Amino acid sequence: MSTTKLGLEPLIGVEELAEYLSVPVQTIYDWRMSGRAPRAYKFGKHLRFAAADIAEWLEQRHEDGPHE
């Protein structure tokens, strides 16, 4: 059964998030250690990220207008 049929948001892993952001996987882990990564779910030693949490995290980092 798909997560959408259950009304659940799909979750993505560290590798997929790193690919989406065009950063090395290690950067995601470094951001987690420093408290700068998107909120994640932890299942054993596996991390999963919800699209809504990633979108919120990205919006918080959005720059307004040109910076000199």
Side-chain angles (χ1 to χ4, degrees), residues 3 5 7 11 13-14 16 19 21 24 28 33 36 41 46 48 51 57-58 66:
T3 56
K5 286 184 181 178
L11 302 175
V14 174
E16 295 152 309
E19 183 178 333
L21 297 173
I28 304 299
M33 294 302 293
R36 297 180 295 155
Y41 296 94
H46 302 281
R48 297 291 182 260
W57 179 82
L58 286 171

Side-chain angles (χ1 to χ4, degrees), residues 21 23 26-38 57:
L21 297 173
V23 299
Q26 186 59 49
T27 299
I28 304 299
Y29 288 114
D30 291 345
W31 287 345
R32 285 231 353 129
M33 294 302 293
S34 66
R36 297 180 295 155
W57 179 82

